[in-house]
Amino acid sequence: MEYDEKLARFRQAHLNPFNKEIGPRQHEQRASEETSEVASEEALPELPPGEPEFCCTERVMDLGLSEDHFSRPVGLFLASDIQQLRQAIEECKQVILELPEHSEKQKDAVVRLIHLRLKLQELKDPNEDEPNIRVLLEHRFYKEKSKSVKQTCDKCNTIIWGLIQTWYTCTGCYYRCHSKCLNLISKPCVRSKVSHQAEYELNICPETGLDSQDYRCAECRAPISLRGVPSEARQCDYTGQYYCSHCHWNDLAVIPARVVHNWDFEPRKVSRCSMRYLALMVSRPVLRLREINPLLFNYVEELVEIRKLRQDILLMKPYFITCKEAMEARLLLQLQDRQHFVENDEMYSIQDLLDAHTGRLGCSLTETHTLFAKHIKLDCERCQAKGFVCELCREGDVLFPFDSHTSVCTECSAVFHRLLFQLHQLLI
């Protein structure tokens, strides 16, 4: 009789209001199934006289929402730290392997394993309540981990306090903003424009006026005016358009149009969007100077010297491609930062022109040219054997097409002494 009372109290405490009423036969069957579980429980305190039948409201309304995700498939294991969770996960894996395949118990064990792993992730980083990567308007924002660096939000133009605020950086254009400002961004990623339309505006400050912009910012469409009411209009020297103070921070950048037309490298004020675009484009070889401004080579001696060095390097390239020693030494990797130099002698990047203006490009190309010529003419016997003998005089040293005193026939690619070749051309 005492056992039946304990069993009745146990069922009352675990009653689910969504369960259907249990008939007499089902009651007997359920009692036989739960006998083994109740036998292992400690003795429950008896209900005092006059106690209502359902004394615990929370237990009555337990809908399974407070499931213990730390429980192991067999027995009960309460995990409170990372070490215990890892131990529970390993034991749960072992139990899954031991249970029959595709059985209900194995499926339940897999679900518990998933919950254990999720809880382990939460304990590893309890503040990780936002995703690490967010994709928006072709931006690929990455959640920053640095807490001590103080940045400025590109959207709201306020300081990002890394210690107390979450912030993201676009891996493509390096756009930074608060997590709360992500959904307010309206400008697509600049890198997408660089990938699909890699070209410069080559008109110097092509201004069209504020009226063509309806007196609004070219980017965020906020009202602007030259009088500063309601917001100051700032002109971008690259696009010629006007922007508000939130989209134009008076950043300075070299303007490509002024470089190729005037050889002018003085930085001008540009908008934030233009600054990012110019920064991503600075190393892209998209300028064909012979077509844009062929007279530039007549006034800039540095460009003439660089063009001659690039032409010589292109003549040396076939020697390296067919030379085993040169391929093993990877001599062409000397120009890996300027890959277009071993492809053609016409295309330039803004970085090339900047380095040519400061003299760095001429010095580095001269060193590379000397290294390449030394390999071909002195160090490598195979490359030496590919030299030419002047067919006009058949005298003198072995000639190479990149020598300064030689000329190459455009029809047969033969190499001659320059003076003899010019004299021969005059006689013909």
Side-chain angles (χ1 to χ4, degrees):
M1 188 67 180
E2 182 181 356
Y3 174 79
D4 295 337
E5 291 178 358
K6 292 181 180 179
L7 183 60
R9 286 199 300 273
F10 178 83
R11 288 173 179 163
Q12 291 172 7
H14 291 77
L15 179 63
N16 192 323
F18 288 100
N19 289 341
K20 297 180 181 180
E21 293 185 0
I22 302 176
R25 296 183 179 178
Q26 295 178 347
H27 185 82
E28 295 176 1
Q29 182 179 1
R30 186 76 60 87
S32 62
E33 293 176 354
E34 297 178 352
T35 300
S36 59
E37 297 181 6
V38 177
S40 62
E41 295 289 335
E42 297 180 357
L44 297 174
E46 296 184 0
L47 291 172
E51 186 76 21
E53 185 177 3
F54 302 111
C55 61
C56 182
T57 306
E58 295 181 357
R59 300 291 292 183
V60 171
M61 295 304 296
D62 184 8
L63 306 182
L65 300 179
S66 59
E67 179 184 359
D68 181 15
H69 298 318
F70 300 106
S71 60
R72 296 185 300 171
V74 178
L76 184 63
F77 182 85
L78 294 179
S80 58
D81 57 16
I82 294 178
Q83 183 177 1
Q84 291 178 343
L85 271 174
R86 287 175 176 170
Q87 181 181 354
I89 288 174
E90 293 301 324
E91 294 181 5
C92 188
K93 289 181 180 177
Q94 187 64 30
V95 171
I96 292 174
L97 294 176
E98 294 175 357
L99 290 173
E101 292 186 2
H102 307 296
S103 63
E104 291 298 324
K105 291 184 178 181
Q106 189 185 51
K107 293 179 182 179
D108 294 339
V110 171
V111 172
R112 287 172 181 154
L113 177 61
I114 294 173
H115 289 310
L116 285 171
R117 285 179 170 173
L118 290 175
K119 193 62 181 178
L120 178 61
Q121 184 65 28
E122 292 176 4
L123 288 180
K124 284 183 177 179
D125 193 355
N127 297 324
E128 194 73 21
D129 55 351
E130 298 187 27
N132 288 331
I133 298 178
R134 295 280 299 275
V135 179
L136 182 66
L137 294 177
E138 300 188 23
H139 291 278
R140 187 173 179 84
F141 287 104
Y142 181 78
K143 187 177 180 181
E144 293 288 353
K145 301 294 184 181
S146 177
K147 304 298 183 182
S148 59
V149 180
K150 187 167 64 175
Q151 303 286 351
T152 303
C153 178
D154 285 317
K155 179 58 183 178
C156 63
N157 200 12
T158 58
I159 295 176
I160 300 174
W161 300 99
L163 290 174
I164 58 177
Q165 293 177 321
T166 305
W167 55 292
Y168 288 80
T169 300
C170 177
T171 57
C173 64
Y174 306 105
Y175 188 101
R176 299 184 182 91
C177 69
H178 298 98
S179 59
K180 63 181 180 181
C181 298
L182 277 178
N183 296 329
L184 303 178
I185 297 174
S186 58
K187 195 71 175 178
C189 182
V190 179
R191 181 169 288 277
S192 62
K193 182 180 178 182
V194 173
S195 302
H196 302 123
Q197 188 180 2
E199 59 183 9
Y200 286 117
E201 172 60 60
L202 294 180
N203 294 318
I204 298 178
C205 194
E207 180 184 4
T208 56
L210 267 175
D211 57 338
S212 64
Q213 299 178 204
D214 196 20
Y215 295 91
R216 294 183 178 275
C217 173
E219 183 172 344
C220 68
R221 307 305 296 169
I224 55 176
S225 70
L226 295 177
R227 295 179 297 175
V229 180
S231 180
E232 177 189 4
R234 299 179 179 179
Q235 187 180 30
C236 174
D237 195 82
Y238 174 69
T239 63
Q241 295 179 315
Y242 290 88
Y243 299 81
C244 66
S245 58
H246 289 283
C247 301
H248 194 310
W249 296 5
N250 291 327
D251 297 301
L252 298 177
V254 176
I255 310 301
R258 296 184 181 274
V259 172
V260 298
H261 292 299
N262 300 337
W263 201 242
D264 180 8
F265 292 89
E266 182 181 354
R268 266 39 178 224
K269 294 180 179 180
V270 295
S271 65
R272 297 289 293 176
C273 182
S274 298
M275 184 198 67
R276 294 191 193 92
Y277 182 78
L278 294 175
L280 293 174
M281 287 283 293
V282 68
S283 299
R284 287 182 170 259
V286 296
L287 297 173
R288 194 182 297 271
L289 293 184
R290 289 182 180 177
E291 296 181 0
I292 299 173
N293 186 9
L295 297 178
L296 193 62
F297 291 92
N298 297 336
Y299 296 95
V300 182
E301 296 181 359
E302 296 90 340
L303 287 180
V304 177
E305 180 183 357
I306 290 171
R307 181 176 61 181
K308 178 63 171 65
L309 290 173
R310 291 184 61 177
Q311 291 173 349
D312 290 347
I313 289 174
L314 289 178
L315 293 174
M316 296 177 183
K317 180 181 176 181
Y319 288 85
F320 297 144
I321 294 177
T322 57
C323 177
K324 181 180 180 181
E325 287 79 5
M327 295 297 291
E328 292 178 352
R330 298 184 178 183
L331 292 179
L332 288 178
L333 288 182
Q334 298 290 330
L335 296 171
Q336 59 181 345
D337 295 334
R338 306 181 197 269
Q339 186 65 31
H340 52 287
F341 278 17
V342 296
E343 296 175 356
N344 58 74
D345 62 337
E346 297 181 353
M347 306 302 296
Y348 292 83
S349 67
I350 287 295
Q351 189 63 52
D352 296 337
L353 302 181
L354 282 168
D355 293 341
H357 177 65
T358 58
R360 289 195 297 267
L361 181 58
C363 293
S364 63
L365 270 185
T366 301
E367 293 177 359
T368 303
H369 184 280
T370 303
L371 177 65
F372 287 178
K374 181 175 178 295
H375 171 83
I376 295 174
K377 302 177 68 174
L378 299 176
D379 297 341
C380 181
E381 295 181 357
R382 295 183 181 181
C383 293
Q384 293 179 24
K386 298 175 184 177
F388 293 83
V389 176
C390 179
E391 297 185 5
L392 295 176
C393 66
R394 298 185 180 276
E395 297 179 357
D397 299 333
V398 177
L399 304 180
F400 293 90
F402 50 84
D403 288 334
S404 58
H405 60 284
T406 61
S407 295
V408 181
C409 178
T410 56
E411 296 181 1
C412 63
S413 299
V415 181
F416 306 90
H417 289 103
R418 176 172 297 177
L419 295 177
L420 293 177
F421 184 75
Q422 293 176 352
L423 179 62
H424 178 71
Q425 292 294 106
L426 291 175
L427 295 177
I428 293 178

